[in-house]
Amino acid sequence: MVICISNMPATRIEAAKIGNALASISCSVVLAIFFACEKTPDVNTPAEIIPENTVRLSERIVFVSDQGTSPRRQIYTMRIDGSDRRRITHDLGDYINPVFSPDGTTILSNSCTPDGSDEIFAIDANGSNLRNLSNAAGDDDFTSYSPDGSKILFTSTRDGNSEIYIMDSDGRNQVRLTESELIDHAPQFTPDGLKILYCSTNVNSAGTGVYDCDIYMMNRDGSNRMRLTEEQVCHIYPPFVEKGMLSEHMMLKPSISSDGARIVFSSYDWKSGNNRVLLMDADGRNCRVVSAMDFMVAPAFAPGNSRIVFMSHRAGKYDLYEMDLDGTRQTKLTLGTPGHVLFSGFSPDGSSIIFSTDVGSVMTGNYETIWTMNRNGSGQTQLTFGGGNDLCPHFQPLRK
């Protein structure tokens, strides 16, 4: 079994709502758990640059910031060079993980509303027409678009347990896809849009803090549900499964290659007391350990699918690294970057990486900031400067 924590907003947590708790673990919490890991020397070899063949470019970046609204976060956009910063939401919600629709015209985000519930909101990219798409009882989270932008996946506790739902991009036709006693979360479409990859968690009712998760695949209508992972126990400490700081964000969900052929994920190993990266075929076969050292987390396929990017705590803090599919040629990309590095993603053309840094904001009062760099780690550029915590950045996709 594997632990899979997705890009869900930090929410209020009660003991009976472990599903939301699993999704709300902040990066600072994860870093605190892993901080005592043993360090090993970096292995720096030239990065392989394989940009994907794409017809998309970016004009703007979307992110959230608590500047002037702390601890609540609002949605902002800016140009890819950090200029023309614009706040586009002005309410009492606390927004997290905003993403553009595939056509770049709409921004989708989760928000913890003043009444304490999580809802799914959409807003036009120019800041107009804010609307509540989910608008239901319970907490609605874990949003993601279908490749064509016509559908949205999400989780909801409206029926008492975290289940996976699907709806049209305008919020209509909300349909429940899973019916399980387990906590289903972190849904995402396969690149062809025909299947759904998600995680399912079994909560240990004894209160020992053992959360066993597995990766599943099903058709987009909820049929043909299939478990892909075998027994691989993972562990999270209960004291850290709570709302915590609202200023950090991290993705630890599985990543599927752009051709839909392979899945990469991280899993905690009890025997070694370390996190490891595993790779398997999309049908769950040929699961193997790629590398297991220095608390490797948040693995994702790099453009071209021949390399894996990941975060590792091997130099006293989390940095972004890259390696081949067999774990060789491990390369540190964020050389000299201050603070813990939180990977967000690649530009649509594969030439740039966007990330945020956490320079000990809890202890020192410093702020989280957003950066970009070239695909090989060169040209690191800080885009935001103080005045608030800026995080969860994503590029805007636009067709030529």
Side-chain angles (χ1 to χ4, degrees):
M1 297 187 181
V2 298
I3 190 68
C4 307
I5 309 168
S6 181
N7 50 332
M8 173 183 174
T11 60
R12 54 186 174 82
I13 302 300
E14 300 173 1
K17 299 177 68 177
I18 299 297
N20 286 337
L22 284 171
S24 66
I25 299 175
S26 68
C27 184
S28 61
V29 167
V30 177
L31 298 177
I33 297 173
F34 295 155
F35 191 79
C37 64
E38 183 180 357
K39 319 299 185 301
T40 60
D42 297 329
V43 181
N44 291 305
T45 57
E48 181 183 11
I49 305 175
I50 310 178
E52 287 189 310
N53 185 15
T54 177
V55 295
R56 294 173 182 261
L57 298 174
S58 285
E59 287 187 355
R60 297 190 72 81
I61 293 168
V62 66
F63 62 101
V64 295
S65 176
D66 64 3
Q67 180 176 348
T69 59
S70 180
R72 294 179 295 106
R73 295 160 295 195
Q74 296 289 295
I75 301 175
Y76 288 74
T77 66
M78 62 182 172
R79 295 188 184 278
I80 59 174
D81 62 1
S83 65
D84 191 26
R85 175 176 173 137
R86 302 177 186 176
R87 177 178 170 182
I88 64 172
T89 57
H90 301 266
D91 56 43
L92 297 179
D94 179 29
Y95 292 90
I96 193 70
N97 194 41
V99 294
F100 283 101
S101 58
D103 65 2
T105 62
T106 303
I107 295 170
L108 188 69
S109 180
N110 290 105
S111 176
C112 183
T113 60
D115 66 4
S117 64
D118 294 339
E119 298 287 353
I120 301 168
F121 285 83
I123 188 171
D124 293 348
N126 63 5
S128 64
N129 193 24
L130 178 69
R131 59 269 191 197
N132 185 338
L133 298 184
S134 53
N135 198 23
D139 290 325
D140 303 314
D141 295 292
F142 280 126
T143 53
S144 62
Y145 274 108
S146 62
D148 63 2
S150 66
K151 298 288 184 179
I152 294 172
L153 287 174
F154 64 101
T155 63
S156 180
T157 61
R158 64 187 64 179
D159 295 319
N161 183 41
S162 179
E163 304 285 355
I164 295 173
Y165 289 73
I166 192 171
M167 64 181 171
D168 296 341
S169 60
D170 60 4
R172 297 178 182 178
N173 300 317
Q174 299 185 25
V175 178
R176 179 176 172 176
L177 299 181
T178 61
E179 294 187 12
S180 169
E181 294 180 355
L182 303 180
I183 297 170
D184 299 327
H185 58 104
Q188 57 182 304
F189 282 98
T190 55
D192 60 10
L194 300 179
K195 294 183 180 295
I196 296 169
L197 185 70
Y198 69 99
C199 294
S200 190
T201 301
N202 182 22
V203 176
N204 186 335
S205 59
T208 59
V210 177
Y211 300 103
D212 298 336
C213 299
D214 276 302
I215 300 175
Y216 283 79
M217 186 89 76
M218 64 181 173
N219 294 334
R220 62 183 293 162
D221 62 0
S223 64
N224 195 27
R225 180 173 179 262
M226 179 175 62
R227 193 177 88 173
L228 303 182
T229 50
E230 299 296 335
E231 297 289 333
Q232 295 177 37
V233 178
C234 305
H235 183 72
I236 296 178
Y237 292 93
F240 298 107
V241 184
E242 56 188 36
K243 188 170 184 177
M245 290 295 295
L246 294 179
S247 59
E248 282 80 19
H249 179 73
M250 187 177 184
M251 293 194 305
L252 293 178
K253 68 179 183 179
S255 172
I256 188 166
S257 58
S258 61
D259 59 5
R262 296 183 179 92
I263 297 169
V264 65
F265 59 97
S266 64
S267 175
Y268 183 78
D269 178 42
W270 274 102
K271 294 181 180 179
S272 66
N274 206 339
N275 240 54
R276 54 187 182 171
V277 172
L278 296 96
L279 182 71
M280 65 182 175
D281 296 342
D283 60 4
R285 298 179 181 179
N286 300 318
C287 186
R288 63 269 194 196
V289 176
V290 176
S291 186
M293 53 188 279
D294 308 307
F295 283 90
M296 305 168 73
V297 296
F301 287 98
N305 300 318
S306 65
R307 300 273 282 172
I308 296 170
V309 295
F310 61 95
M311 292 163 51
S312 177
H313 198 286
R314 64 184 57 176
K317 68 183 186 71
Y318 276 94
D319 276 293
L320 187 62
Y321 295 78
E322 190 178 58
M323 63 182 171
D324 285 344
L325 300 185
D326 61 1
T328 60
R329 290 204 303 152
Q330 295 194 18
T331 306
K332 183 176 181 180
L333 298 179
T334 49
L335 290 168
T337 311
H340 297 292
V341 173
L342 311 180
F343 173 68
S344 285
F346 292 93
S347 61
D349 67 352
S351 64
S352 301
I353 294 173
I354 192 165
F355 60 96
S356 59
T357 60
D358 171 12
V359 192
S361 58
V362 176
M363 300 299 295
T364 67
N366 294 334
Y367 293 110
E368 295 180 40
T369 56
I370 296 172
W371 299 61
T372 57
M373 65 182 176
N374 295 328
R375 171 70 179 78
N376 62 0
S378 65
Q380 292 186 32
T381 303
Q382 185 175 346
L383 302 183
T384 62
F385 298 86
N389 293 293
D390 303 323
L391 64 157
C392 304
H394 291 95
F395 285 106
Q396 178 185 30
L398 289 177
R399 295 187 181 276
K400 290 181 179 179

